[in-house]
Amino acid sequence: ILKIFTELTKTKGAAGQKNQVDKALELIDEKLPIFMQSQFLEVQERACFLNAIVEIYKSQSAVGNDISNELSSLFEETLNPVSNIAQKKVQVPVGLDLDSWINDPPKWDDIVEESNRSVEGDDEWGQDWNEFGSEPKQ
C-alpha cells in the first residue's frame, strides 16, 4: 500500500492525480485502523508505520511541502532478510514488556460481530461472497 501511495504522490502534479491521492488517503484512513489493532504483531507494526508515514505526509502537504521524493527513498535500497540466529542474539531493551499490547486489545463484542459478519458472507470490505468465496452473489 505504501509503495502504491508513494507512486501516486510522485505523479500528483498530473491532471486528476491529486484527486487520486485524496481518495487513497481517505481509503487508508478508513481501512487502516482495523490492521493497527490486529492480533498479529507484524501486521500491527506495518499498519502503525504506514499510519505514521501518512500522517507525516498530510502534515507536510498542509503546509505546502512535497515529500514524495523522501517517500520514494524508502524503497531505494534492497532489504535483505535477517537470519533467525541473528534475531535471537538481540537483547530485549530494559523496560520493554513484550507481552503487553501496543494498542488496546479488541473488545470481545467486536470480535464476535466481525466473526458473525464473516460467517454470514459479508466481509470487512463490504462485499458479499458466496459460501465458497469465489465470486460475489448477484
Side-chain angles (χ1 to χ4, degrees):
I1 293 174
L2 183 56
K3 286 183 180 181
I4 295 169
F5 179 72
T6 299
E7 287 301 313
L8 285 174
T9 62
K10 288 191 330 189
T11 59
K12 184 170 76 169
Q17 289 298 87
K18 183 176 184 335
N19 192 26
Q20 287 186 356
V21 171
D22 292 340
K23 286 181 182 178
L25 286 170
E26 288 176 21
L27 186 63
I28 290 170
D29 285 343
E30 180 183 335
K31 302 294 184 182
L32 194 60
I34 193 167
F35 296 105
M36 292 172 63
Q37 296 180 353
S38 173
Q39 66 179 346
F40 302 106
L41 183 59
E42 292 85 4
V43 174
Q44 272 190 22
E45 182 179 14
R46 290 177 184 167
C48 290
F49 176 75
L50 176 58
N51 185 57
I53 295 295
V54 167
E55 290 302 318
I56 291 168
Y57 175 81
K58 286 182 197 176
S59 66
Q60 293 299 309
S61 292
V63 294
N65 294 331
D66 179 20
I67 63 167
S68 58
N69 290 333
E70 286 81 359
L71 290 176
S72 296
S73 69
L74 293 172
F75 306 107
E76 287 178 354
E77 293 183 30
T78 303
L79 297 177
N80 296 321
V82 178
S83 74
N84 289 336
I85 295 169
Q87 289 178 1
K88 290 177 183 175
K89 290 182 179 180
V90 175
Q91 297 295 318
V92 176
V94 176
L96 178 63
D97 182 6
L98 296 176
D99 294 323
S100 66
W101 284 81
I102 293 174
N103 295 310
D104 293 332
K107 296 182 177 111
W108 180 251
D109 293 339
D110 294 342
I111 295 170
V112 171
E113 180 182 323
E114 187 67 32
S115 173
N116 288 341
R117 215 175 26 203
S118 294
V119 169
E120 294 167 1
D122 188 17
D123 70 9
E124 65 201 35
W125 302 101
Q127 297 170 328
D128 192 20
W129 301 95
N130 68 15
E131 63 187 67
F132 300 105
S134 60
E135 59 186 66
K137 293 179 183 177
Q138 296 295 335

